[in-house]
Amino acid sequence: MRIGVLTGGGDCPGLNAVIRGVVRKGVEVYEYEFTGFRDGWRGPLEGATLPLGIPEVRGILPRGGTVLGSSRTNPLKVADGIRKVKENLEKYQVDALIVIGGEDTLGVAATLHDNGVNVVGVPKTIDNDLNATDYTFGFDTAVNIATEAIDRLHTTAESHRRVLVIEVMGRHAGWIALHSGIAGGANVILIPEQRFDMDQVCAWVEQRFRINYAPIVVVAEGAMPVEGQMVLKDDTRDAFGHVRLSGIGEWLAHEIEARTGKEARTTVLGHIQRGGTPSAFDRWLATRFGLHAIDAVHDGDYGTMVALRGTDIVRVPLADATARIKTVEPALYSEFDVFFG
């Protein structure tokens, strides 16, 4: 058999570990051959490939990003996109496709499976918002990076008696903000799932100053005030219809300063969260996902995604994994009320 592999959507730490796990076991145990498709769905759409074998995956375990490249190309938005993908898979004699990506990338994979393509999915997103899996790889690394940033910002906040606002990624789900905010000892954590009251935020800020500490505010890029809407970087949309976020941190700092009279500054972590070497946990999880993905191909269990449930790797239908996103439940968020302010 010849197996195709692609990585789509935003890059994240651990992608190379999945590729390595797939190829090592696929070649050494099952004697499969592999074709790497470049830049996400653009690869099978346009016939852009590269060699993928044991020599190509040596030394990539600790590397961030993806050796295959990635993009937000959406074949479903291209005229005859599905037909073109199927024709190129046939041209390169690809019997099955392992798709590593988030909600959008795996949504395309689910549609292709419905159209007769043999597909197995691997969940990837730093936002940890993919349904049907407890964790996605990339998330742990992003949380560790954000937590380290918060730790560093505490000291400069205290030195200047300033409010420091840290904007982290999280379009619809606040997992990074919540995990890093709690781990870093933030005094205010704002997530997309819970609209925030600006008066309450300012009360928490002033409460922190009253006990002679400088407040740290962690906000997910998709968080919104009760009276207001999502802050956009601009109105352009990608191939999956997503607008570009960023700006809620600056907006918050301006409002806090205007309402409290306290100096406020913003740090936007942006792509720093998803760049660089993966954490040990993400390397471990991504490797396991890769090994189990190639097992699913060997078993002919197509239309599935490998997922983490507890400490076990299981297979779930792609349709279940992409039906809805996984968000922070109100009960979990409220557990940490005691730390706000």
Side-chain angles (χ1 to χ4, degrees):
M1 289 182 67
R2 178 175 293 276
I3 315 301
V5 183
L6 68 82
T7 54
D11 66 287
C12 83
L15 284 167
N16 288 325
V18 178
I19 297 167
R20 173 178 175 267
V22 164
V23 172
R24 284 287 298 272
K25 187 167 189 179
V27 172
E28 295 180 11
V29 176
Y30 299 127
E31 298 183 346
Y32 292 158
E33 296 179 347
F34 290 88
T35 294
F37 286 103
R38 296 188 60 90
D39 303 334
W41 285 115
R42 187 180 73 82
L45 188 64
E46 301 178 4
T49 66
L50 49 71
L52 191 61
I54 296 288
E56 285 76 26
V57 300
R58 288 197 180 106
I60 68 172
L61 175 65
R63 287 174 57 182
T66 163
V67 294
L68 296 178
S70 191
S71 75
R72 297 195 182 278
T73 302
N74 183 357
L76 307 184
K77 297 295 185 180
V78 177
D80 293 325
I82 292 178
R83 178 183 60 80
K84 291 176 181 177
V85 168
K86 293 178 71 172
E87 285 179 352
N88 279 318
L89 292 179
E90 185 176 348
K91 174 183 176 181
Y92 291 101
Q93 299 179 318
V94 171
D95 301 295
L97 192 61
I98 292 178
V99 178
I100 311 165
E103 176 193 7
D104 295 325
T105 302
L106 294 180
V108 175
T111 300
L112 283 171
H113 175 69
D114 292 339
N115 283 270
V117 178
N118 296 330
V119 177
V120 169
V122 176
K124 171 248 34 157
T125 168
I126 68 167
D127 289 341
N128 198 41
D129 62 355
L130 259 177
N131 196 30
T133 184
D134 291 348
Y135 285 98
T136 55
F137 68 89
F139 172 67
D140 184 70
T141 302
V143 169
N144 285 334
I145 290 169
T147 300
E148 182 180 356
I150 295 167
D151 287 345
R152 292 177 180 276
L153 290 170
H154 269 293
T155 58
T156 187
E158 299 293 347
S159 296
H160 291 276
R161 304 275 295 162
R162 288 174 176 158
V163 183
L164 283 186
V165 180
I166 301 97
E167 181 184 307
V168 299
M169 286 183 170
R171 177 180 295 273
H172 300 298
W175 295 106
I176 294 176
L178 184 62
H179 280 241
S180 64
I182 293 303
N187 315 110
V188 181
I189 301 171
L190 307 176
I191 62 175
E193 295 88 339
Q194 302 278 333
R195 284 187 175 248
F196 60 86
D197 183 338
M198 205 56 227
D199 290 335
Q200 179 63 76
V201 171
C202 290
W204 283 329
V205 165
E206 290 175 324
Q207 179 180 330
R208 190 69 176 169
F209 277 117
R210 279 197 296 273
I211 59 174
N212 295 316
Y213 285 97
I216 297 288
V217 179
V218 175
V219 58
E221 61 186 352
M224 292 178 283
V226 173
E227 299 294 334
Q229 58 188 9
M230 193 177 287
V231 177
L232 309 181
K233 190 168 187 178
D234 58 51
D235 292 328
T236 59
R237 294 178 180 268
D238 64 20
F240 291 94
H242 299 310
V243 292
R244 296 177 66 193
L245 300 185
S246 188
I248 186 63
E250 288 290 346
W251 184 89
L252 266 173
H254 179 270
E255 287 293 314
I256 290 171
E257 197 164 289
R259 295 178 183 225
T260 68
K262 303 295 185 182
E263 192 176 11
R265 294 287 185 273
T266 304
T267 298
V268 180
L269 294 186
H271 289 75
I272 291 172
Q273 293 158 94
R274 69 187 202 200
T277 188
S279 67
F281 178 81
D282 279 340
R283 298 183 202 190
W284 175 85
L285 179 59
T287 297
R288 292 189 73 197
F289 277 160
L291 297 175
H292 282 262
I294 198 63
D295 285 344
V297 170
H298 180 71
D299 294 342
D301 198 2
Y302 302 120
T304 61
M305 180 191 82
V306 292
L308 180 68
R309 295 281 178 83
T311 57
D312 296 327
I313 305 295
V314 300
R315 300 172 193 168
V316 299
L318 270 172
D320 292 351
T322 57
R324 64 180 180 86
I325 63 170
K326 181 179 67 181
T327 55
V328 177
E329 294 292 337
L332 177 60
Y333 183 71
S334 65
E335 283 185 16
F336 305 104
D337 285 349
V338 67
F339 297 113
F340 296 170

